[in-house]
C-alpha cells in the first residue's frame, strides 16, 4: 500500500513551527545581541533619556534570558518579560529593541496555544506604558521629563497592533496546518483500511472457490480410489489445476503488496473468464446453465472484476450450501445497469460447509463500492437466489474492488 509523504510546505512554515524548539538558546542569544547593540545605537539620538548604565544592560539581558524558558512556561515568561520591559521604561532608559524580547515571548505564548495570555500581557504593557508616559512621568526619571507626545503613543500602538495581527495570522495558519495534517493522516488510514479490505476480499474469493472445488474433488477421489481409479485420477487432475490457478491468483494479489503501484503481471479476471468458471463448477459436480438478455457491452476493469467475483462467490455458495447440483446464471444487460442473477433449486444442506461466512458480505461490499446492490435470500418455490445490480457507468473515483 502506497504511503503518501507529507508535504513539508514553504520554508517559512518550517521556521515558524520550529522557532524556539530547534533554535532555543540561539534565538535568545540573537535577541540579546540585538537589544544590546541596537539600544546602544538608538541611545545616541535620545539625549533626553537616562544614559545606559550597568543596570540598563542587566535589564536588556534579563529579557532574553527569560526567553530560554518560554517553551516550558510560555504564559509566565510573557508576563515576566513584559514586567522587565516596564521596569526598563520606568527607569527612563532610551527606547530601542527592548520590545523585541517581549514580542518573542508573546509569539511563543500564541503558538503554544495561550492566545489570551499573550493578549493580556500586551494589554498590560501598553497600559503601563501609557501610565508612565502620561501620569507617573513626574515621579520617575529622567528629571524634568514631560508627558510623552501622543504621536509616539500612536506609533507604539500601531506597532503593537501590527505585532498582534502577525500573531493572529500565524495562529490561523498553524490551525490550518494542524487540520491538514489530521486530514492527511485520516485519509492515509482510510486508504490503508480500504486496501486491506480489498486484499482480504480478493483472497477470500480466490481461496473460497478454489478450495471448494478441491474439497469436492478430494471427496470424489477418495470415494472412487479403489473402485474407479480412472475417475479418481481425473479428480486429482482437477485438484491440481484448481490449486495451480489459486496459487497464481494469490501470488498476483501478494505482488501488489511487494511492489505498490506496479502494474499486475496478469490481467484481473472478468466476465470473459466465465466459461472457465463454469468448467471449474462442473469439475465440482455442479451443472450451470447461462442465459443473457440484452446487448453485452464492455465493462470498466473494476466493474468487470466485481461481476466475475460475485458470480464466482455465488457459485461457491451453491457448491457449499445447496443440495442441488444445478444452478442457473442470467446476465441482464439493461440500459444503465448490469443485473447478475444466480438461482439454485436447493434444498440447503445440513452438513457444515466450512469457510468464513463472509461470502455475502464480500459480495455486498463489491457491489456497494460500485454504487450497486445485492439481494440474496430463499426463493418462494424453494432454493436460493442472488441478484446483483451494478451500474454500467463507473461512479466518480471508482477503483477496482
Amino acid at each position: 500500500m502506497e504511503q503518501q509523504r507529507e508535504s513539508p510546505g514553504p520554508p517559512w512554515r518550517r521556521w515558524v513551527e520550529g522557532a524556539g524548539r530547534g533554535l532555543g538558546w540561539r534565538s535568545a542569544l540573537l535577541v540579546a545581541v540585538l537589544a544590546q547593540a541596537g539600544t546602544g545605537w538608538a541611545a545616541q539620538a535620545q539625549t533626553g533619556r537616562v544614559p545606559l548604565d550597568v543596570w540598563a544592560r542587566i535589564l536588556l539581558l534579563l529579557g532574553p534570558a527569560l526567553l530560554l524558558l518560554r517553551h516550558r512556561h510560555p504564559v509566565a515568561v510573557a508576563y515576566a518579560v513584559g514586567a522587565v520591559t516596564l521596569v526598563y521604561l520606568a527607569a527612563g532608559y532610551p527606547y530601542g529593541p527592548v520590545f523585541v524580547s517581549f514580542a518573542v515571548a508573546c509569539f511563543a505564548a500564541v503558538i503554544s496555544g495561550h492566545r489570551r495570555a499573550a493578549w493580556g500581557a500586551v494589554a498590560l504593557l501598553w497600559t503601563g506604558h501609557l501610565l508612565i508616559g502620561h501620569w507617573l512621568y513626574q515621579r520617575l526619571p529622567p528629571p524634568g521629563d514631560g508627558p510623552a507626545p501622543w504621536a509616539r503613543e500612536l506609533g507604539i500602538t500601531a506597532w503593537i497592533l501590527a505585532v498582534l495581527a502577525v500573531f493572529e495570522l500565524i495562529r490561523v495558519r498553524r490551525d490550518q496546518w494542524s487540520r491538514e495534517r489530521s486530514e492527511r493522516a485520516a485519509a492515509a488510514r482510510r486508504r490503508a483500511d480500504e486496501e486491506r479490505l480489498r486484499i482480504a476480499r480478493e483472497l477470500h474469493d480466490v481461496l473460497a472457490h478454489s478450495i471448494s472445488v478441491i474439497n469436492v474433488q478430494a471427496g470424489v477421489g477418495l470415494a472412487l480410489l479403489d473402485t474407479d481409479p480412472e475417475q479418481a485420477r481425473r479428480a486429482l487432475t482437477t485438484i491440481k489445476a484448481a490449486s495451480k490457478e489459486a496459487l497464481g491468483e494469490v501470488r498476483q494479489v501478494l505482488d501488489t503488496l511487494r511492489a505498490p503501484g506496479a502494474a499486475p503481471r496478469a490481467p484481473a479476471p472478468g466476465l470473459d473468464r466465465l466459461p472457465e468458471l463454469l468448467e471449474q463448477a462442473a469439475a465440482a459436480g455442479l451443472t450451470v446453465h447461462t442465459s443473457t438478455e440484452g446487448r453485452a457491452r464492455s465493462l470498466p476493469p473494476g466493474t468487470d472484476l466485481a461481476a466475475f467475483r460475485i458470480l464466482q462467490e455465488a457459485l461457491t455458495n451453491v457448491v457449499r450450501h445447496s443440495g442441488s447440483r444445478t444452478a442457473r446464471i442470467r446476465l441482464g444487460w439493461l440500459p444503465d445497469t448490469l443485473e447478475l442473477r444466480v438461482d439454485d433449486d436447493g434444498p440447503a444442506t445440513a452438513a457444515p460447509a466450512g469457510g468464513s461466512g463472509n461470502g455475502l458480505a464480500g459480495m455486498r461490499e463489491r457491489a456497494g463500492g460500485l454504487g450497486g446492490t445485492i439481494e440474496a435470500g430463499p426463493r418462494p418455490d424453494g432454493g436460493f437466489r442472488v441478484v446483483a445490480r451494478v451500474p454500467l457507468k463507473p461512479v466518480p473515483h471508482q477503483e477496482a474492488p
Side-chain angles (χ1 to χ4, degrees), residues 55-71:
W55 297 110
R57 297 294 182 180
I58 291 175
L59 290 173
L60 290 175
L61 285 175
L62 184 56
L66 289 171
L67 294 180
L68 296 173
L69 303 174
R70 67 188 184 275
H71 299 300

Side-chain angles (χ1 to χ4, degrees), residues 155-192:
I156 293 176
T157 302
W159 181 85
I160 291 175
L161 292 177
V163 170
L164 289 176
V166 171
F167 289 170
E168 286 301 305
L169 176 62
I170 293 173
R171 182 187 64 83
V172 170
R173 288 300 300 153
R174 282 178 58 86
D175 290 344
Q176 291 177 350
W177 298 334
S178 178
R179 286 194 298 271
E180 290 170 0
R181 283 195 298 266
S182 299
E183 291 172 358
R184 284 194 295 270
R189 289 193 297 269
R190 184 168 59 254
R191 286 192 299 271

Side-chain angles (χ1 to χ4, degrees), residues 28 31 47 79 199 204-205 207 228 240 250 254 262 268 284 299 335 337 342 371 389:
V31 171
T47 56
Y79 282 99
I199 293 172
H204 171 272
D205 290 349
L207 295 178
D228 192 347
K240 180 179 179 181
V250 169
L254 296 180
L299 296 174
T337 304
V342 180
R389 297 180 181 90

Side-chain angles (χ1 to χ4, degrees), residues 1 34 55 94 146 252 391:
M1 288 163 282
L34 178 63
W55 297 110
Q252 180 180 344

Side-chain angles (χ1 to χ4, degrees), residues 104-130:
V104 173
C106 290
F107 173 75
V110 169
I111 65 174
S112 63
H114 301 282
R115 174 193 178 200
R116 294 183 177 179
W119 278 70
V122 170
L124 287 178
L125 178 61
W126 183 69
T127 303
H129 183 266
L130 284 180

Side-chain angles (χ1 to χ4, degrees), residues 96-393:
V98 63
F99 294 103
V100 175
S101 297
F102 180 70
V104 173
C106 290
F107 173 75
V110 169
I111 65 174
S112 63
H114 301 282
R115 174 193 178 200
R116 294 183 177 179
W119 278 70
V122 170
L124 287 178
L125 178 61
W126 183 69
T127 303
H129 183 266
L130 284 180
L131 291 176
I132 292 172
H134 296 275
W135 181 42
L136 298 177
Y137 67 91
Q138 297 177 353
R139 301 176 179 85
L140 297 173
D145 191 17
W150 283 105
R152 186 174 68 188
E153 295 296 343
L154 291 176
I156 293 176
T157 302
W159 181 85
I160 291 175
L161 292 177
V163 170
L164 289 176
V166 171
F167 289 170
E168 286 301 305
L169 176 62
I170 293 173
R171 182 187 64 83
V172 170
R173 288 300 300 153
R174 282 178 58 86
D175 290 344
Q176 291 177 350
W177 298 334
S178 178
R179 286 194 298 271
E180 290 170 0
R181 283 195 298 266
S182 299
E183 291 172 358
R184 284 194 295 270
R189 289 193 297 269
R190 184 168 59 254
R191 286 192 299 271
D193 291 341
E194 291 173 352
E195 183 69 3
R196 282 194 292 268
L197 178 61
R198 184 190 70 81
I199 293 172
R201 193 161 51 223
E202 280 294 299
L203 290 175
H204 171 272
D205 290 349
V206 170
L207 295 178
H209 176 75
S210 300
I211 291 178
S212 294
V213 173
I214 291 172
N215 181 62
V216 171
Q217 292 301 313
V220 171
L222 288 174
L224 301 178
L225 184 61
D226 296 327
T227 60
D228 192 347
E230 185 59 31
Q231 183 66 26
R233 182 186 299 275
R234 284 197 294 270
L236 292 175
T237 302
T238 302
I239 289 174
K240 180 179 179 181
S243 61
K244 181 179 179 181
E245 179 183 358
L247 287 174
E249 294 201 32
V250 169
R251 188 177 297 113
Q252 180 180 344
V253 173
L254 296 180
D255 282 344
T256 63
L257 293 177
R258 298 191 182 97
R265 298 180 182 178
L271 290 181
D272 58 333
R273 287 181 54 181
L274 183 57
E276 179 182 337
L277 183 62
L278 301 182
E279 291 179 4
Q280 294 173 355
L286 183 65
T287 302
V288 183
H289 303 286
T290 62
S291 63
T292 302
E293 294 184 8
R295 181 176 59 86
R297 279 153 280 175
S298 61
L299 296 174
T303 305
D304 205 16
L305 173 62
F308 178 82
R309 292 302 189 201
I310 289 172
L311 293 177
Q312 184 183 54
E313 181 61 32
L315 292 179
T316 300
N317 287 341
V318 174
V319 172
R320 284 178 169 178
H321 306 293
S322 176
S324 173
R325 295 296 85 192
T326 302
R328 293 180 297 279
I329 293 177
R330 187 178 73 88
L331 304 180
W333 295 89
L334 305 178
D336 57 356
T337 304
L338 172 61
E339 183 180 272
L340 309 169
R341 191 172 74 186
V342 180
D343 291 279
D344 72 87
D345 297 329
T349 59
S356 62
N358 294 324
L360 287 176
M363 286 192 285
R364 288 193 175 94
E365 289 169 357
R366 287 188 182 276
L370 298 168
T373 59
I374 288 284
E375 297 176 6
R379 298 189 310 172
D381 56 347
F384 199 82
R385 170 175 291 171
V386 175
V387 179
R389 297 180 181 90
V390 293
L392 293 178
K393 293 182 179 180

